[in-house]
Structures are given as C-alpha cells and as structure tokens.
Amino acid sequence: MSNPEFEAKLNRIIKMSQQMYIKDAAPRITEVQLTLAEWKAGRIQSAAAAKAIYLQIHTMKGVALTIHFEPMHQICEALIAILEREDMQAAETLIEQLPAKLADCEAIVTT
C-alpha cells in the first residue's frame, strides 16, 4: 500500500541527510588528502597514514549507502579493503578520485 505523504517526508529527510553528508565529507576528504601528502613526503609511515585515512573513510562509507550515494559508498568500500592491508600505493589512486565522487554525490542531490 502506497502512502504518498510518508514517501514525500522520507524523500525530504534523505535530501537533508545528503546535503549534510556533503558538508561533512568535504573536510574529511581534505584531511585524507593531507594525510596522503604527509605519507608521500615521508613524514608519517604507511601504517599511521592508513589508520588515519581508514577512520575518515569508514565514517564516510557508513552513511553513504543509506542516503543513496552509491558512488561514494563503492569507492569507500574499495579504499577500506586497501587500507586494511596498509597499501598506501594502491590507496593513492582511489584517494585522488574522492573529490570527483563527491561531485557525483552533489549531482545526485540536485536531481
């Protein structure tokens, strides 16, 4: 049985959650990029960089699927698997894609 009023309310909640996610994810991505830069400069070791980035990515992944941000969920899921192995070389390529994935999410909100 369809309830249009409930569906409209749920859609408004999802849109608000999506907007909040984008505001929260942008500084997290910046922090991830800064940690990657510190690792590339040799100022922190792979294990420390992987752990710091993992914490940010895990937080971002947790909500992404729930609010229909599949592009972000997928990249975060892939990054988590790589970071668990502390493979910063492999993580670097995906980290570079994060801003584009966030832009994909922004496009979802505006449609």
Side-chain angles (χ1 to χ4, degrees), residues 39-59:
W39 170 75
K40 287 173 71 173
R43 290 189 281 271
I44 58 174
Q45 297 197 6
S46 292
K51 182 177 181 180
I53 292 170
Y54 177 94
L55 293 172
Q56 297 293 337
I57 297 300
H58 189 271
T59 300

Side-chain angles (χ1 to χ4, degrees), residues 1-14:
M1 193 173 245
S2 178
N3 182 337
E5 186 177 312
F6 175 77
E7 289 177 23
K9 183 176 182 178
L10 185 59
N11 285 334
R12 284 192 307 274
I13 291 168
I14 290 171

Side-chain angles (χ1 to χ4, degrees), residues 48-106:
K51 182 177 181 180
I53 292 170
Y54 177 94
L55 293 172
Q56 297 293 337
I57 297 300
H58 189 271
T59 300
M60 291 170 53
K61 177 189 166 280
V63 177
L65 188 59
T66 305
I67 59 171
H68 308 290
F69 280 172
E70 288 86 2
M72 188 61 79
H73 179 274
Q74 291 170 353
I75 195 168
C76 289
E77 198 167 65
L79 259 168
I80 284 172
I82 291 167
L83 293 166
E84 287 174 342
R85 298 189 314 264
E86 297 177 4
D87 185 352
M88 289 301 296
Q89 294 275 327
E92 183 175 1
T93 302
L94 292 179
I95 290 168
E96 291 171 353
Q97 295 175 30
L98 286 173
K101 295 299 179 184
L102 187 59
D104 291 344
C105 294
E106 290 171 338

